[in-house]
Amino acid sequence: MSEHKGPSRRMLLGAMAAGGAAMTTGMARAAGDPAITELQPWMRSLGDGVDAHPYGMPSPFEAHVKRRNVEWLTADPVSSVNFTPIHELDGIITPNGLCFERHHSGIARVDPSLHRLMINGLVDREIVFTMDDLKRFPRYNRIHFLECAANSGMEWRGAQLNGCQFTHGMIHNVMYTGVMLRDVLAAAGVKPTGTWLLAEGADAAAMTRSIPMEKALDDCMIAFKMNGEALRPEQGYPVRLVVPGWEGNMWVKWLRRIEIGDQPWQHREETSKYTDLLPDGRARRFTYEMDAKSVITNPSPQAPLSHGKGPTVLTGIAWSGRGTIPRVDVTLDGGRNWHQARMDGPSLEKSMHRFYFDFDWDGRPLLLQSRAHDSTGYVQPTKDALRAIRGPDSIYHNNGIQTWHVDERGEAENVEVG
Amino acid sequence: MSEHKGPSRRMLLGAMAAGGAAMTTGMARAAGDPAITELQPWMRSLGDGVDAHPYGMPSPFEAHVKRRNVEWLTADPVSSVNFTPIHELDGIITPNGLCFERHHSGIARVDPSLHRLMINGLVDREIVFTMDDLKRFPRYNRIHFLECAANSGMEWRGAQLNGCQFTHGMIHNVMYTGVMLRDVLAAAGVKPTGTWLLAEGADAAAMTRSIPMEKALDDCMIAFKMNGEALRPEQGYPVRLVVPGWEGNMWVKWLRRIEIGDQPWQHREETSKYTDLLPDGRARRFTYEMDAKSVITNPSPQAPLSHGKGPTVLTGIAWSGRGTIPRVDVTLDGGRNWHQARMDGPSLEKSMHRFYFDFDWDGRPLLLQSRAHDSTGYVQPTKDALRAIRGPDSIYHNNGIQTWHVDERGEAENVEVG
């Protein structure tokens, strides 16, 4: 790899001083590199035609880029989770095939022609919608992140999983197309006493969550498309709830029923689960909003600094359930010095943001952290700051600062520095 | 379907007057609908677990949503085109598996570890980059449409193909992650005499196009990701040129070489092809920019108005190689009356835009057209206006207004009204 450094370094620094040596390196590689002196097979023969892949797939050379589950985490894969390979992605869009999955009774295989959405409870008129009915409401398109409340949960007590796919991969960010929940509720006519709603899924778990009417009438959507095409089965095909900025468990998939009531239903998913035990023995429940959070995806334990010293692109993602991310700070030395990262790509409400920090690595060990600021002024806290308030027994809503240690070889590992 | 109309109509209009009848309809359906009275199979049994699909695919119920080629169009599928199913999509993001393909010697299956990009010609120093080298330049993320110059070309002489997938489907819109071409060129040091560059692909056709230096230094990118993940093989994996707003043929895929020169190379793809014969016998060449254009994707010949009278969502896409699309007009009566459409979703430079027109269909025949306005003030012309200037022998750059006729049954067909 050493012969690659010269050109790269000069490229980035644009330093004429290094020009001579770099030119030599470049020409040396050109002369000795069979990849240049010989025509590759794909230039000597025809490839597949336009009739070969009616629905395309990634290159075989990308077969390692996939969702991964952790076998020991759950008793059974049908009530489990897998993780988005965020260390292999860039930009802010998560491709549909790589969006993490979380389901409680497996992936419901729903026939859209037989699927119905019922609105009942405290309404002027109960209504049952077909998918065709729903597609006759005005449509909207919004890019939002979906993060599981348990994302980074296994890190609550300290560094455990060696890879951001596993520590922070219960998140995805796609463009949803659907209708506004408020428009659908208006059709049924919510009674003045209707202050809460229950969303129920058509999977074998009949996933149910209580949602305050105020949020439902604000920005919630009933979505049937993601990134332009139909929702994927594992994401709720043919229709799911979108609850922007709030914990993923509320985004009920395979949405079949919305009941209007006057108080929360106190169901399993909002009592025994998605609830944290506080030091004084009380339970922290109905914790909806996902606070500002960020993580460095490259370098990270699954994505070491393989190119050695010189020009290095550090990148990561940041998000907030309360707005946008105008700023992310990055440190290379465990917090002694902070540098403002370069944000790039669309900055949208309750959507993933991409940040970069371009630096010249001197080959010495790094202690990497990122710290997100959201549009409300909130700053991502340390894990210790969270523990000081919530104690040692929490699982959910860990938005603490993540640390990676990078050694001289560029290998990274998950470490705990508070 | 008739029983579905009542509720839908009321929902959209929010008209209390229709409430009674609608409520009856809704309850009647609820009572008689087995989809409600019986638990569906997917609620009675477990689905696939999180280990079943490391890389996800669409629902089997969406198998009809695919790229399609037209067999009679070309002699061989390895030098041909297939089309994006734009009538099945919504929002502005094209999912990677459905982006139309155009290649001249099939899909090059490139091994990224053996791929190189060479910069040569009028430069201070020739350089050869590995993929690792390229990824050490600062990265940027941009959403841009890519339209083939021949999109709608078969319609030049009049209505031919019955479906917007075929008349307008040589377009896609994704988020690219890559580096700026100007940064890579700066590394090689372009000599003052370098005013043009030649981009060459690593496919068996060695696709080559000439690009003016001014554009190269403006907003061109060398991209290695689309919608977050690696470029798809048919889109140039591992690296392609991105030439925002300009004809797709210039976005050289499998990019292997950039030569700097002082004039265009006059290669096949910019002389015998991607060139139009004018009435006076001269050839219209080096036509780079894609002018403002739009098309109604629903309803359209492949997507009839199946729900009958009442609330109807008309939608379509619009784009311009010169900026954004602040406005799209829609007519239901072949141009007698125009209505301003509702734009929804991000409005980004040289990116696809989504428009909607929500109306109450009375069941009478429709003559649908859309007309895009771009941020420079340019307005999409009629096909006749284009023919008056370019004559009858053109193929490329047909951005004329498209017309669909919708009959009483909701069936749509491609018609010509100038």
Side-chain angles (χ1 to χ4, degrees):
Chain A
M1 288 297 299
S2 65
E3 65 177 1
H4 300 189
K5 288 171 201 161
S8 301
R9 182 192 182 86
R10 194 199 59 264
M11 294 163 218
L12 200 57
L13 305 184
M16 277 325 178
M23 177 170 61
T24 315
T25 316
M27 292 173 72
R29 182 199 292 163
D33 187 345
I36 296 155
T37 55
E38 293 162 27
L39 272 187
Q40 298 298 334
W42 46 85
M43 295 201 71
R44 286 191 263 100
S45 60
L46 298 172
D48 285 342
V50 298
D51 54 349
H53 310 285
Y55 192 97
M57 285 291 283
S59 163
F61 293 101
E62 297 295 313
H64 58 285
V65 181
K66 56 188 179 185
R67 302 184 287 211
R68 293 178 191 276
N69 56 318
V70 180
E71 289 73 9
W72 50 259
L73 181 60
T74 57
D76 192 305
V78 297
S79 181
S80 188
V81 61
N82 62 20
F83 305 85
T84 305
I86 53 177
H87 61 295
E88 293 281 0
L89 305 179
D90 211 321
I92 68 165
I93 297 293
T94 314
N96 291 344
L98 293 173
C99 291
F100 86 98
E101 299 172 65
R102 170 74 172 113
H103 29 80
H104 298 67
S105 294
I107 304 168
R109 288 241 180 76
V110 178
D111 177 345
S113 70
L114 294 175
H115 187 71
R116 300 288 183 271
L117 171 60
M118 176 188 291
I119 312 288
N120 69 324
L122 299 176
V123 292
D124 297 333
R125 61 200 76 86
E126 298 185 329
I127 305 182
V128 175
F129 299 105
T130 63
M131 287 305 298
D132 283 343
D133 293 337
L134 290 173
K135 290 176 178 174
R136 298 175 75 170
F137 284 91
R139 291 179 212 162
Y140 298 88
N141 304 288
R142 300 286 184 268
I143 297 178
H144 290 304
F145 74 84
L146 182 163
E147 182 184 18
C148 178
N151 199 25
S152 315
M154 286 178 279
E155 302 294 300
W156 193 267
R157 290 186 173 79
Q160 282 197 45
L161 297 169
N162 220 20
C164 61
Q165 177 173 17
F166 304 108
T167 59
H168 291 75
M170 283 197 258
I171 188 168
H172 54 67
N173 198 66
V174 305
M175 172 171 281
Y176 295 97
T177 301
V179 302
M180 300 310 293
L181 177 55
R182 58 173 173 265
D183 292 342
V184 175
L185 293 178
V190 176
K191 292 185 184 299
T193 50
T195 54
W196 285 81
L197 60 79
L198 183 77
E200 180 182 81
D203 59 331
M207 259 294 301
T208 44
R209 279 300 298 261
S210 303
I211 298 172
M213 186 60 66
E214 187 179 19
K215 178 66 173 179
L217 299 179
D218 176 15
D219 58 359
C220 290
M221 299 172 72
I222 296 176
F224 36 81
K225 280 184 154 57
M226 59 192 292
N227 289 338
E229 68 185 349
L231 286 175
R232 291 296 178 85
E234 62 270 30
Q235 299 298 335
Y237 179 82
V239 63
R240 89 173 302 162
L241 201 59
V242 169
V243 189
W246 288 21
E247 58 187 19
N249 182 255
M250 305 178 77
W251 300 43
V252 174
K253 299 186 284 192
W254 313 292
L255 185 67
R256 76 184 295 256
R257 191 171 70 91
I258 293 175
E259 182 178 342
I260 311 300
D262 58 7
Q263 58 184 312
W265 275 255
Q266 310 288 355
H267 276 202
R268 173 182 179 279
E269 300 293 320
E270 54 209 20
T271 52
S272 76
K273 302 296 178 188
Y274 299 93
T275 288
D276 285 307
L277 186 63
L278 295 172
D280 63 5
R282 289 179 306 119
R284 185 170 178 264
R285 297 198 293 138
F286 299 104
T287 44
Y288 300 136
E289 205 157 53
M290 302 308 292
D291 283 324
K293 188 171 175 179
S294 68
V295 66
I296 294 169
T297 55
N298 305 80
S300 64
Q302 295 163 287
L305 273 181
S306 57
H307 58 56
K309 294 181 186 179
T312 300
V313 176
L314 177 154
T315 187
I317 52 178
W319 59 95
S320 170
R322 297 189 286 183
T324 60
I325 300 288
R327 172 179 166 184
V328 173
D329 302 322
V330 168
T331 178
L332 307 180
D333 53 19
R336 257 186 244 91
N337 303 286
W338 289 93
H339 315 276
Q340 192 165 336
R342 172 174 59 90
M343 310 300 296
D344 187 80
S347 176
L348 303 166
E349 288 285 316
K350 302 165 186 179
S351 173
M352 188 179 285
H353 290 59
R354 173 64 56 174
F355 67 87
Y356 297 98
F357 182 64
D358 306 302
F359 71 104
D360 197 38
W361 187 36
D362 60 11
R364 282 181 297 197
L366 303 166
L367 207 52
L368 303 177
Q369 299 178 323
S370 64
R371 180 176 65 190
H373 302 242
D374 77 12
S375 47
T376 69
Y378 175 93
V379 180
Q380 182 180 2
T382 63
K383 292 178 184 174
D384 281 350
L386 289 173
R387 292 175 188 129
I389 300 166
R390 300 197 208 144
D393 299 323
S394 283
I395 297 169
Y396 303 102
H397 294 274
N398 173 11
N399 66 313
I401 290 172
Q402 176 66 43
T403 310
W404 307 125
H405 176 268
V406 179
D407 68 19
E408 298 85 346
R409 294 161 303 133
E411 297 296 328
E413 68 174 322
N414 183 2
V415 298
E416 177 76 18
V417 298
Chain B
M1 288 300 297
S2 65
E3 66 178 0
H4 298 190
K5 290 172 196 159
S8 300
R9 183 192 181 83
R10 197 199 57 265
M11 299 162 215
L12 199 57
L13 305 183
M16 278 326 179
M23 179 170 57
T24 315
T25 317
M27 292 173 72
R29 180 201 293 163
D33 188 345
I36 295 155
T37 55
E38 293 161 28
L39 272 187
Q40 298 297 335
W42 46 85
M43 295 200 71
R44 286 190 263 102
S45 60
L46 298 172
D48 285 342
V50 298
D51 54 349
H53 310 286
Y55 192 97
M57 285 291 284
S59 163
F61 292 101
E62 298 294 313
H64 58 287
V65 180
K66 56 186 178 184
R67 302 183 284 210
R68 292 177 192 276
N69 58 316
V70 180
E71 289 73 8
W72 52 258
L73 182 59
T74 57
D76 191 304
V78 297
S79 181
S80 188
V81 61
N82 63 17
F83 305 87
T84 305
I86 53 177
H87 62 294
E88 293 281 359
L89 305 180
D90 211 323
I92 69 165
I93 297 293
T94 313
N96 291 345
L98 293 173
C99 291
F100 86 97
E101 299 173 64
R102 170 74 172 115
H103 29 80
H104 299 68
S105 294
I107 304 169
R109 288 240 184 74
V110 178
D111 177 343
S113 70
L114 293 176
H115 187 71
R116 299 289 184 270
L117 171 60
M118 177 188 292
I119 312 288
N120 70 324
L122 298 176
V123 292
D124 297 332
R125 62 203 74 87
E126 298 184 329
I127 305 182
V128 175
F129 299 106
T130 63
M131 287 305 298
D132 282 343
D133 293 335
L134 290 174
K135 290 174 177 175
R136 298 175 75 170
F137 284 92
R139 291 178 211 163
Y140 299 89
N141 303 287
R142 300 285 183 270
I143 298 179
H144 290 303
F145 74 85
L146 182 163
E147 182 184 17
C148 178
N151 199 23
S152 315
M154 286 177 279
E155 302 295 297
W156 192 266
R157 289 184 174 79
Q160 281 197 44
L161 296 169
N162 220 19
C164 61
Q165 178 173 16
F166 304 107
T167 59
H168 291 73
M170 281 196 262
I171 187 168
H172 55 66
N173 198 66
V174 305
M175 172 172 281
Y176 295 97
T177 301
V179 301
M180 300 309 293
L181 177 55
R182 60 172 171 264
D183 292 342
V184 175
L185 293 178
V190 175
K191 294 184 183 298
T193 50
T195 53
W196 286 81
L197 60 79
L198 183 76
E200 178 183 83
D203 58 331
M207 259 292 301
T208 43
R209 280 298 299 260
S210 303
I211 298 172
M213 186 59 66
E214 186 178 18
K215 177 67 173 177
L217 299 179
D218 176 17
D219 58 0
C220 289
M221 299 173 72
I222 295 176
F224 35 80
K225 280 184 155 52
M226 60 193 290
N227 290 337
E229 67 184 349
L231 287 175
R232 292 297 178 85
E234 64 270 31
Q235 300 298 335
Y237 179 84
V239 62
R240 89 173 302 164
L241 200 59
V242 169
V243 190
W246 288 21
E247 58 186 18
N249 181 253
M250 305 177 78
W251 299 45
V252 173
K253 299 187 283 192
W254 313 292
L255 185 67
R256 76 185 294 257
R257 191 170 70 93
I258 293 175
E259 181 177 342
I260 311 301
D262 57 7
Q263 59 184 313
W265 275 255
Q266 310 288 354
H267 276 201
R268 173 181 179 278
E269 300 291 321
E270 53 207 21
T271 51
S272 77
K273 301 296 178 187
Y274 299 91
T275 289
D276 286 307
L277 185 62
L278 295 171
D280 63 5
R282 288 179 307 120
R284 185 171 179 266
R285 297 197 294 139
F286 299 104
T287 46
Y288 301 134
E289 207 158 51
M290 301 308 293
D291 284 323
K293 187 170 175 178
S294 69
V295 65
I296 294 169
T297 54
N298 306 82
S300 64
Q302 295 163 287
L305 273 181
S306 57
H307 58 55
K309 294 181 187 179
T312 300
V313 176
L314 176 154
T315 187
I317 51 178
W319 60 94
S320 169
R322 296 190 286 184
T324 60
I325 300 288
R327 173 179 167 185
V328 172
D329 303 321
V330 168
T331 179
L332 306 180
D333 54 19
R336 255 185 245 92
N337 303 287
W338 290 93
H339 315 276
Q340 192 165 337
R342 171 173 62 88
M343 309 301 295
D344 187 79
S347 175
L348 303 167
E349 289 282 317
K350 302 167 185 176
S351 172
M352 188 179 285
H353 289 60
R354 173 66 54 175
F355 67 86
Y356 298 98
F357 182 63
D358 307 302
F359 71 104
D360 197 38
W361 187 38
D362 60 11
R364 281 180 297 196
L366 303 166
L367 206 53
L368 304 177
Q369 299 177 324
S370 63
R371 181 177 63 190
H373 303 240
D374 77 13
S375 48
T376 69
Y378 175 93
V379 181
Q380 183 181 1
T382 63
K383 291 179 186 173
D384 281 351
L386 289 174
R387 294 178 187 123
I389 299 165
R390 300 199 209 142
D393 299 322
S394 283
I395 296 169
Y396 303 102
H397 294 275
N398 172 11
N399 66 314
I401 291 173
Q402 176 66 43
T403 312
W404 307 124
H405 176 268
V406 180
D407 67 19
E408 298 84 346
R409 295 161 300 134
E411 298 295 330
E413 68 174 320
N414 182 4
V415 297
E416 176 78 18
V417 299

